[in-house]
C-alpha cells in the first residue's frame, strides 16, 4: 500500500525541481546576454538556441601543415602559389584550411578563384582528412576527394578519375561543398552546380586546394566575401525537396485540432478552450479514439481551478492565489519551504517591486524571503529576486527577466502542474508534467538528434525556434 | 511485466542486434527526451500560429489574453478573411469577391486563376439555383473571354456548363462540381491567397511538424530500434518494435 502523503510529496518535489530548473535557465540566459553589449543581444535573441551548434569554421589556409616548399601561402593566408617546376607526382602543393568543415548544419561550402592556371592548370579543389599526405593531389589518396581543373575529372581515393564536369582555368570560380543530409559532395563552376558525388567517408574533412605547375595561383574564399554560387537558393531548393517528402506523410485529419485542444486543457487555458470548441464544433468532425484513453478525464481535471489560479498569477495577485491553493489544495502548500511556496513568495516580492511598493517589498522580503537563504537549493533564485531592489530601473538590470511576462507564466505553469499532480488517476506517473504537444516535439527533436548521432554527429539538429522564425510563404 | 512479454522483448532485442540495429531501451530513450528542452513560449507561439492561420479569431484573442502570446498577424484581418471564406462556403460568391476586393484589390488582379475559380463557383451556384438564363449569360460574357487567355480555364468552363446539359445532374460525370467539397476547395484557395497577400504562411506549422515527426521516426527506424509514438492523439511511447 502506497503511503498517501509520501506519494504526493514525490510529485510535489518533481514539480518544484522541474520549474525551479526552468527559472534557472532563464536566469542563466539573462546573465549571459547582460554581459554582452546591446548589439549582441539583438542577435542573441534569434540565434541563442543555436549556440550549442557553434563550431570553429575555416577562415584561412593552414600555413603550418602544408606541403613545405611546394606551395607558398601568401601573407593574407587566402592565396596559394606554386613556386617551382614540378617534377613528379609527389611534389604537389597542397594546402588545407585552418579548421575542418563544420558538420552540425545542413551544408558547408567554399570557393576558389583561379587567378593563374600556370603552366598546366593542374589545380584541384576538394576535401581531405586530417592525416592527408600533403604532397599529393586531393582525390589521389584514400579518404580524399577532388575536382581537378586540368581534366575536369573527379578523383576519389585513387589515381584514376571519373567523368564529372568541365575543366577549369584562369578566371574561373570553382566551389566545393558538403550536404550532410544527403551525404554528398557537390562542386560548382562559375555559379552553376557541376555535379554531386556520394560522401562515403566519416570523420572531419578539411577544405583543400592544390596547385601543381609553375606560377599557378589560387585565391580561396571561405565566405568572407559573397560567393559567386547562390548557396541560399541551393539550400532552399534542397529543403523544398525534403519538404515534399515530409508532406507525403499522412496524419489523421483532426490530429492538430486534438493536440491544440489537449494543450489548452493541459495548461488550463479554459476560456480559449471553450471558444475554440465552440468554433470547431461546426467545422471539425468529432475526434475519435480519445475517450478510450482517458484523455478527456485527464485534461479536464480541475480545469476551472487551474484557470482561476493562472489568471490570478498572471494578474500579479499572489496573495489571492495562495489563498485559493490553501482553500482547494491545502496539502500542496502546507510546507512553506517547498519549492512551490518559495517560488510564490518570490513572485509576491516581484509583484511588489513591479508596482513600486518598495517598503512593502522590504517588509515582505524580511518576513518571507530571508529565511530561504539557508536553503542551498533556493539560494540563487532568492538572490536574483531580492536583487531587484538594487536597481532604480530593475527592468533593465541583469535580473530584469523577473519582470517579464514569461516569469509569471512559469509560476502559473508550476501551480498548474502541481494541481495536475494531485489527480488521483495519475498517481505514480509523470505523464501529467508535459502536454502532448511537448511530448511530440521532444520526440521529434530526439529522433533527429539520434539520427545525427548515428551519422557521426553530422547534420543539423531540430530547433522549434527556427521553424517558428521561418516564414515559408 | 509478465514473463511472456519480457521474453518477447528480449527476443526483439536479440533480433535487432543481429541486424546490427542499435537498440535504445525505454529508460535510455526517456533520458534523451528529458534532455530535450522545448520552451513554453515557443509552444504558445505554435498554438497561436495554428489558431490564427486556421481562422479561429475569437480563440486567438482569448489565447492572447490567457497566455500573453502575441499573434503574428493583426487579428482584425482574420475576421475579414473568415468572412470571405464563409461567404464562399455558403455560396455567396459575389459577396466574397466584393469582400476580397475591399480587403486588397491586388489579390484578384494578380491571381487570374483564383479569380477564374471564383467566377466558376459563381456559375455553379447560379446553375444550382436553377437560374439557367442567367447562368448562360454569365458564362458567355464573363467566363468565356477569360478562357481565351488560358486553355485550362476553357476546359474547366466547358465542364461546368455541362451541368446544364444533364437533367439528372446527380448521376452525371460532372456531379462533383455541385458537391460541397467544390465550395470548400474554392474557399480554401481564397483563404490561402489572402494569407499570402498578408505575407503570412497559408498553412499552419503544427500539422507539418507532426508530419515531420512521422518522417523523422521512419528515418531513425533504419538506424535503431527505439520507443516510437504512433498515436499522435495520446503521444504514448511504445516499446521498441519486434
Amino acid at each position: 500500500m502506497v503511503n498517501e502523503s509520501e506519494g504526493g510529496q514525490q510529485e510535489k518535489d518533481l514539480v518544484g525541481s522541474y520549474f525551479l530548473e526552468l527559472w534557472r535557465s532563464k536566469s542563466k540566459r539573462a546573465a549571459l546576454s547582460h554581459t554582452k553589449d546591446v548589439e549582441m543581444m539583438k542577435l542573441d535573441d534569434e540565434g541563442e538556441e543555436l549556440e550549442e551548434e557553434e563550431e570553429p569554421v575555416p577562415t584561412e589556409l593552414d600555413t603550418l601543415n602544408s606541403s613545405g616548399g611546394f606551395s607558398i601561402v601568401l601573407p593574407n593566408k587566402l592565396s596559394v602559389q606554386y613556386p617551382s617546376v614540378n617534377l613528379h607526382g609527389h611534389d604537389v602543393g597542397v594546402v588545407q584550411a585552418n579548421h575542418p568543415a563544420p558538420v552540425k548544419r545542413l551544408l558547408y561550402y567554399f570557393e576558389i578563384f583561379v587567378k593563374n592556371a600556370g603552366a598546366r592548370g593542374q589545380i584541384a579543389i576538394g576535401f581531405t582528412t586530417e592525416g592527408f599526405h600533403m604532397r599529393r593531389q586531393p582525390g589521389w589518396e584514400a579518404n580524399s576527394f577532388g575536382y581537378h581543373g586540368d581534366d575536369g575529372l573527379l578523383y576519389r581515393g585513387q589515381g584514376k578519375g571519373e567523368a564529372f564536369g568541365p575543366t577549369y582555368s584562369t578566371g574561373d570560380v570553382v566551389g566545393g561543398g558538403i550536404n550532410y543530409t544527403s551525404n554528398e559532395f557537390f562542386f560548382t563552376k562559375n555559379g552553376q552546380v557541376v555535379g554531386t558525388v556520394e560522401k562515403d567517408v566519416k570523420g572531419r574533412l578539411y577544405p583543400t586546394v592544390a596547385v601543381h605547375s609553375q606560377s599557378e595561383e589560387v585565391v580561396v574564399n571561405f565566405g568572407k566575401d559573397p560567393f559567386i554560387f547562390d548557396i541560399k537558393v541551393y539550400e532552399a531548393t534542397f529543403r523544398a525537396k525534403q519538404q515534399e517528402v515530409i508532406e507525403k506523410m499522412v496524419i489523421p485529419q483532426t490530429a492538430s485540432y486534438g493536440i491544440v485542444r489537449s494543450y489548452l486543457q493541459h495548461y488550463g487555458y479554459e476560456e480559449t478552450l471553450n471558444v475554440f470548441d465552440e468554433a470547431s464544433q461546426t467545422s471539425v468532425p468529432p475526434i475519435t479514439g480519445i475517450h478510450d484513453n482517458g484523455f478527456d478525464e485527464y485534461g479536464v481535471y480541475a480545469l476551472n481551478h487551474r484557470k482561476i489560479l493562472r489568471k490570478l498569477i498572471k494578474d500579479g495577485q499572489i496573495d489571492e492565489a495562495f489563498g485559493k491553493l490553501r482553500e482547494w489544495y491545502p496539502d500542496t502548500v502546507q510546507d512553506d519551504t517547498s519549492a512551490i511556496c518559495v517560488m510564490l513568495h518570490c513572485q509576491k516580492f516581484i509583484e511588489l517591486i513591479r508596482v513600486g511598493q518598495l517598503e512593502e517589498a522590504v517588509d515582505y522580503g524580511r518576513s518571507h524571503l530571508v529565511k530561504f537563504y539557508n536553503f542551498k537549493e533556493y539560494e540563487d533564485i532568492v538572490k536574483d529576486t531580492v536583487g531587484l531592489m538594487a536597481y532604480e530601473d530593475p527592468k533593465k538590470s541583469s535580473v530584469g527577466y523577473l519582470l517579464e511576462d514569461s516569469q509569471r507564466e512559469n509560476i502559473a505553469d508550476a501551480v498548474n502542474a502541481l494541481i495536475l499532480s494531485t489527480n488521483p488517476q495519475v498517481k505514480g506517473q509523470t505523464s501529467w508534467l508535459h502536454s502532448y504537444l511537448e511530448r511530440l516535439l521532444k520526440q521529434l527533436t530526439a529522433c533527429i538528434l539520434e539520427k545525427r548521432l548515428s551519422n557521426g554527429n553530422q547534420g543539423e539538429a531540430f530547433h522549434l525556434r527556427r521553424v517558428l522564425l521561418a516564414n515559408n510563404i | 511485466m509478465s514473463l511472456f512479454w519480457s521474453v518477447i522483448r528480449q527476443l526483439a532485442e536479440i533480433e535487432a542486434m543481429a541486424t546490427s540495429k542499435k537498440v535504445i531501451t525505454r529508460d535510455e530513450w526517456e533520458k534523451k527526451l528529458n534532455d530535450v528542452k522545448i520552451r513554453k513560449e515557443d509552444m504558445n507561439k505554435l498554438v497561436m500560429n495554428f489558431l490564427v492561420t486556421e481562422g479561429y479569431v475569437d480563440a486567438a484573442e482569448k489565447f492572447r489574453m490567457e497566455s500573453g502570446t502575441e499573434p503574428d498577424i493583426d487579428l482584425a484581418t482574420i475576421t475579414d478573411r473568415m468572412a470571405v471564406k464563409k461567404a464562399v462556403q455558403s455560396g455567396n460568391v459575389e459577396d466574397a469577391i466584393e469582400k476580397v476586393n475591399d480587403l486588397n484589390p491586388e489579390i484578384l488582379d494578380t491571381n487570374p486563376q483564383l479569380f477564374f475559380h471564383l467566377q466558376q463557383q459563381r456559375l455553379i451556384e447560379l446553375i444550382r439555383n436553377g437560374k439557367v438564363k442567367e447562368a448562360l449569360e454569365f458564362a458567355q460574357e464573363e467566363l468565356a473571354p477569360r478562357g481565351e487567355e488560358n486553355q485550362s480555364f476553357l476546359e474547366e468552363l466547358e465542364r461546368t456548363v455541362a451541368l446544364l446539359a444533364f437533367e439528372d445532374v446527380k448521376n452525371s460525370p460532372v456531379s462533383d462540381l455541385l458537391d460541397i467539397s467544390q465550395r470548400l476547395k474554392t474557399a480554401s484557395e481564397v483563404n490561402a491567397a489572402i494569407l499570402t497577400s498578408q505575407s503570412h504562411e497559408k498553412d499552419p506549422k503544427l500539422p507539418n511538424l507532426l508530419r515531420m515527426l512521422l518522417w523523422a521516426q521512419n528515418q531513425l527506424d533504419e538506424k535503431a530500434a527505439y520507443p516510437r509514438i504512433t498515436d499522435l492523439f495520446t503521444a504514448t511511447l511504445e516499446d521498441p518494435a519486434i
Side-chain angles (χ1 to χ4, degrees), chain A residues 27 34 141 260 340 359 365 371 375 378 423:
Chain A
S27 169
H34 200 71
E141 303 284 314
V260 165
I340 196 76
E359 277 170 44
K371 60 183 174 204
F375 292 80
Y378 307 137
N423 184 351

Side-chain angles (χ1 to χ4, degrees), chain A residues 255-266 273 276-277 280 287 290-291 295-296 300:
Chain A
S256 300
Y257 294 89
I259 288 159
V260 165
R261 200 164 174 272
S262 71
Y263 184 83
L264 299 174
Q265 287 181 339
H266 176 90
L273 178 71
F276 182 66
D277 274 351
S280 52
I287 298 163
I290 283 172
H291 295 273
F295 174 101
D296 261 342
V300 296

